[in-house]
Amino acid sequence: MSGHSKWSTIKRKKGALDAKRGKLFTKLIKEITVAAREGGADPEMNPRLRLAVVNAKAQNMPKDNIDRAIKKVAGGEAADYVETTYEGYAPNGVAVFVECTTDNLNRTVAAVRAVFTKYGGSLGTNGSLEFIFDRKGVFSLLFPDGQDEDELTLELIDGGAEDVEVEEGQMTITCAMEDFGNMQKKLEELGLEAESAELERIPNTTVSLSNEDFTQVMKTIDALEDDDDVQKVFHNIEANDEQLATL
């Protein structure tokens, strides 16, 4: 299993086990709000909003919640969120990239810095991790029944896919950030619907940890993800099967 695949598995398993639905819905509503304000309240005309709605539905967010969030933006009632990122290191040299959406930058940076400090890490300067992470489009969907894997892979490569992984009936497609829109269109042409589609930060160098160190670093990741202002946390841990099982 590749490092990217294991990294994706960590993300997928953590998501599946996340019982804090309220916090998850808060993060999804923020993304819908920002997307609607940025590109308009019509998902058909706004690719980012359309994607946010798809991801919200994939997490079983009620349609009423989604519609209400979009209407608030259209009516000028939504909170004024801004997007920001923070970069730092957890213990044992683990690189951590944090994406946030907030209505109070001072509160957010203080909270993120506090987490790094509490768990023995350090908050760095923006741009300090650019050499570690590449921004990629990542699509996840069920592998379609009766489809020839090689033929489908060639079709997806034609649409801009750089990597296609199929594992336990789940297909993960990775493409360059610039090909994200093309990949969306290709899946639509093929009649395939992604369960999730996101721009993610994929590590090009990874760090292997002992089980004890892995547990400690994951406390940092969990604490960051628990903050309402934090949308996504990316890291470069190369986890082994035993460590994945603990999630």
Side-chain angles (χ1 to χ4, degrees):
M1 189 188 297
S2 72
H4 171 216
S5 181
K6 284 192 177 182
W7 178 87
S8 297
T9 302
I10 291 177
K11 186 171 184 296
R12 191 162 61 242
K13 287 191 176 182
K14 279 184 61 59
L17 295 172
D18 186 3
K20 300 174 183 176
R21 308 303 290 175
K23 283 187 176 293
L24 176 60
F25 283 2
T26 296
K27 296 175 191 291
L28 292 167
I29 288 295
K30 283 187 176 182
E31 172 59 21
I32 290 170
T33 300
V34 172
R37 180 176 285 123
E38 183 183 85
D42 183 359
E44 294 303 315
M45 302 298 292
N46 182 344
R48 180 174 176 179
L49 178 58
R50 185 164 66 249
L51 177 59
V53 170
V54 167
N55 287 333
K57 288 179 177 178
Q59 296 297 337
N60 299 313
M61 176 179 281
K63 185 176 183 298
D64 287 348
N65 294 37
I66 297 171
D67 292 342
R68 193 180 307 120
I70 296 173
K71 286 176 181 176
K72 277 189 175 182
V73 175
E77 303 170 20
D80 188 16
Y81 293 121
V82 295
E83 296 177 292
T84 186
T85 61
Y86 301 100
E87 302 166 43
Y89 283 93
N92 304 291
V94 174
V96 181
F97 201 112
V98 187
E99 294 182 352
C100 301
T101 301
T102 179
D103 56 2
N104 187 324
L105 286 169
N106 290 334
R107 178 191 67 218
T108 304
V109 68
V112 170
R113 181 181 286 113
V115 171
F116 276 102
T117 301
K118 178 178 180 180
Y119 293 99
S122 61
L123 187 62
T125 57
N126 278 3
S128 59
L129 300 183
E130 281 186 355
F131 69 100
I132 291 179
F133 293 96
D134 296 322
R135 205 155 188 220
K136 303 281 188 181
V138 180
F139 297 77
S140 180
L141 60 154
L142 292 174
F143 188 82
D145 290 336
Q147 187 78 47
D148 182 275
E149 184 176 333
D150 291 338
E151 287 183 8
L152 180 56
T153 297
L154 289 174
E155 285 277 5
L156 294 171
I157 290 173
D158 183 58
E162 293 181 345
D163 185 50
V164 179
E165 296 179 0
V166 179
E167 183 180 357
E168 298 179 357
Q170 192 79 17
M171 182 162 60
T172 302
I173 305 162
T174 306
C175 68
M177 181 177 68
E178 296 77 15
D179 286 327
F180 191 87
N182 292 334
M183 198 70 251
Q184 282 182 297
K185 291 177 182 177
K186 188 64 176 181
L187 289 174
E188 290 174 5
E189 287 175 11
L190 295 171
L192 301 177
E193 184 174 350
E195 292 179 327
S196 69
E198 299 177 275
L199 284 172
E200 300 186 357
R201 299 181 191 273
I202 307 299
N204 52 53
T205 60
T206 57
V207 176
S208 296
L209 303 175
S210 68
N211 290 348
E212 181 180 353
D213 289 340
F214 175 80
T215 299
Q216 185 61 33
V217 171
M218 289 311 295
K219 289 179 181 178
T220 306
I221 307 300
D222 289 340
L224 288 168
E225 290 180 338
D226 201 41
D227 190 292
D228 285 343
D229 292 339
V230 174
Q231 291 293 93
K232 299 175 186 175
V233 180
F234 301 99
H235 57 77
N236 67 334
I237 300 172
E238 175 77 24
N240 60 41
D241 291 337
E242 184 179 353
Q243 291 164 354
L244 289 174
T246 66
L247 301 176

